[in-house]
Amino acid sequence: MVTVEDARWLADHLRRLVSRRPATWAGSELTLAQLLALHFISAKAPVTLMALSHALGLRPPATSAMVDRLAHAGLVCRKPDPADRRRVLLTVTGNAVAMLGKIDLQTARRLQVVVTSMGAAAQRCLAEVVRDTARRLAGS
């Protein structure tokens, strides 16, 4: 169960992340959406491309393109679902785990716990708030 304190901490933490340049995130060139995707995949792995798309509030082609970039960077691994070969399962690689750990191990763990304990509707809402905040900051 996500507490009010958890939600406030997460909102404050994400606000600080969004207000910085993406390159400050562990010395990477990740966008906020990519960072959120990595945290979501890490928390829910293995996750389908459609589940990630719904959680981030993105269209499947945009999500697929993002995952392509993350896979090319060696951060996400795609595998066919053994139960349904038409579906793709996503997991983070050891490189992603190490990169996420460099951000701040305690922060990454708390973020993972909060995101994992949220329902799908709350995750979609959070993703929309983060996207809206990022758009507003990019326009200013």
Side-chain angles (χ1 to χ4, degrees), residues 40-62:
F40 181 81
I41 295 167
S42 177
K44 299 285 187 173
V47 65
T48 65
L49 189 62
M50 289 303 293
L52 178 62
S53 182
H54 288 293
L56 297 177
L58 299 174
R59 292 179 177 218

Side-chain angles (χ1 to χ4, degrees), residues 24-113:
T24 65
W25 301 330
S28 72
E29 293 297 323
L30 293 178
T31 66
L32 180 61
Q34 290 169 334
L35 182 66
L36 287 173
L38 287 176
H39 276 288
F40 181 81
I41 295 167
S42 177
K44 299 285 187 173
V47 65
T48 65
L49 189 62
M50 289 303 293
L52 178 62
S53 182
H54 288 293
L56 297 177
L58 299 174
R59 292 179 177 218
T63 306
S64 183
M66 178 194 315
V67 170
D68 284 344
R69 289 188 295 277
L70 292 171
H72 182 73
L75 301 173
V76 170
C77 182
R78 290 177 173 204
K79 294 181 182 175
D81 184 344
D84 182 351
R85 292 280 190 196
R86 294 170 294 175
R87 292 179 5 159
V88 174
L89 297 177
L90 307 172
T91 58
V92 293
T93 65
N95 291 340
V97 171
M99 189 270 313
L100 290 172
K102 287 179 185 175
I103 293 172
D104 175 353
L105 186 55
Q106 183 178 2
T107 298
R109 283 183 181 152
R110 189 159 182 195
L111 181 60
Q112 184 174 4
V113 167

Side-chain angles (χ1 to χ4, degrees), residues 4-24:
V4 172
E5 178 185 329
D6 287 334
R8 285 187 182 138
W9 173 88
L10 182 57
D12 288 342
H13 180 70
L14 291 174
R15 195 174 298 114
R16 284 192 305 274
L17 281 177
V18 169
S19 67
R20 298 180 188 157
R21 294 179 42 82
T24 65

